Each structure stands twice: as C-alpha cells, then as structure tokens.
Amino acid sequence: MKVEMENALMQMDQIMRANRLNFSLMACFPAALAMYSSVVAVKAYLSMTFHRRRAKRREEMRLLLAEAERALCNLKIAERRSVQQGMLIYALNSLYLALQRYHGLFSKNEWRTVRADVLELADPSISIDNKLVCIARLARTKALIPEPHRVRKL
C-alpha cells in the first residue's frame, strides 16, 4: 500500500509539473483582462471627447455662418448701409478666423472652395443676392453639416 501511495503521489507530482504553465496562464488572465478593459475604456473616452470637440467646432462655424447671413439680410434692408456693412465685415472676419482655426475639419479641395466663398462674401462688388446664394452653398459644405447622432457600439 505504501508503494502504491508513493506511485500515486509521483504521478500527481508529474501532472502538477506538466500543468504548471496552465496555472501560470490562469493566474495572469485576470490582469490581462483588466488591462484590456482599461484600454478599451480609455479609447472610448478619447473617442467621445474628440467627437464632442469636433461637434462643438462645427456648431461654432454654423452659428457664425448664420450670423453672417443675418448681417447680409440686414444690409439688404438697411437704411444706414455703412453700419450694416461694418457688421457684415465683422461677421465675415469672425467666420474666416474660425474656419482658419478649424481648417483640419475640411479636405484640401473643400478648404479651397470654402475659403474662396468667404472671400467672395467679403467682396463689395458682388450683389447681396449672390452673396446669399454663396452662404447657402457654404451651409451645404460637409464640414459645416452636423454629424448624425452616433450610437456607441457594444
């Protein structure tokens, strides 16, 4: 009986040595799972932060474009044109500065056309109706259109 017990213990010891790698892997699995979940959480946070920042920039540019359109409409019906012309120049300057600040939202070709449109808006020799058409064209620009609401993927 003593010999059988010793053989059984020897076999059990061999099995334990053979499974040592499995036990080591099972011991590090919770740490790897925690590391993976923290990386996914940080990635999701940064993605949402970037999305919010981009949405805020787009909203600012849309509001400045609406302000320029309002200044153009006021200029069209104004009696004191010099004051309204100054308000239009101020609105276009604010819009142009915002567009320059956030030009990373535009592709290169789109940036060229947007820049040309804003400079066209500032040209006093162009009629107000053509400037309103230009503002409508700017409003259809991809970078100024609000993004659809994103649902997080699980």
Side-chain angles (χ1 to χ4, degrees), residues 73-135:
C73 290
N74 288 341
L75 179 65
K76 190 174 184 177
I77 60 172
E79 293 176 8
R80 295 177 52 195
R81 294 183 77 78
S82 61
V83 173
Q84 294 304 323
Q85 186 71 28
M87 294 301 292
L88 175 63
I89 290 172
Y90 175 75
L92 291 176
N93 184 44
S94 300
L95 176 64
Y96 188 72
L97 290 176
L99 290 172
Q100 276 187 327
R101 208 172 30 242
Y102 307 135
H103 78 275
L105 295 174
F106 300 98
S107 67
K108 286 184 179 184
N109 293 331
E110 192 176 36
W111 169 244
R112 269 190 241 125
T113 60
V114 166
R115 185 175 177 272
D117 284 343
V118 172
L119 292 176
E120 182 180 323
L121 287 173
D123 188 4
S125 64
I126 296 176
S127 71
I128 293 176
D129 293 328
N130 288 344
K131 288 181 180 183
L132 288 172
V133 169
C134 186
I135 284 196

Side-chain angles (χ1 to χ4, degrees), residues 6 14 16 22 24 34-35 37 40 48-49 59 61-62 69 74-75 78 94 102 113 141-142 151:
E6 196 172 308
Q14 286 176 348
M16 291 297 279
N22 291 341
S24 297
M35 181 65 83
S37 62
V40 167
M48 290 305 291
T49 302
E59 180 183 15
M61 288 189 293
R62 279 193 311 275
E69 183 178 19
N74 288 341
L75 179 65
S94 300
Y102 307 135
T113 60
T141 303
K142 180 184 173 194
V151 178

Side-chain angles (χ1 to χ4, degrees), residues 19-79:
N19 285 332
R20 189 176 300 155
L21 178 63
N22 291 341
F23 288 133
S24 297
L25 289 176
M26 286 174 47
C28 79
F29 181 72
L33 185 63
M35 181 65 83
Y36 175 74
S37 62
S38 65
V39 165
V40 167
V42 167
K43 184 179 173 184
Y45 173 75
L46 291 177
S47 172
M48 290 305 291
T49 302
F50 179 73
H51 175 70
R52 274 190 233 113
R53 189 171 50 225
R54 188 174 56 209
K56 185 178 175 183
R57 289 173 178 174
R58 286 177 178 216
E59 180 183 15
E60 179 185 351
M61 288 189 293
R62 279 193 311 275
L63 290 174
L64 288 171
L65 187 65
E67 184 180 330
E69 183 178 19
R70 191 175 309 111
L72 264 175
C73 290
N74 288 341
L75 179 65
K76 190 174 184 177
I77 60 172
E79 293 176 8

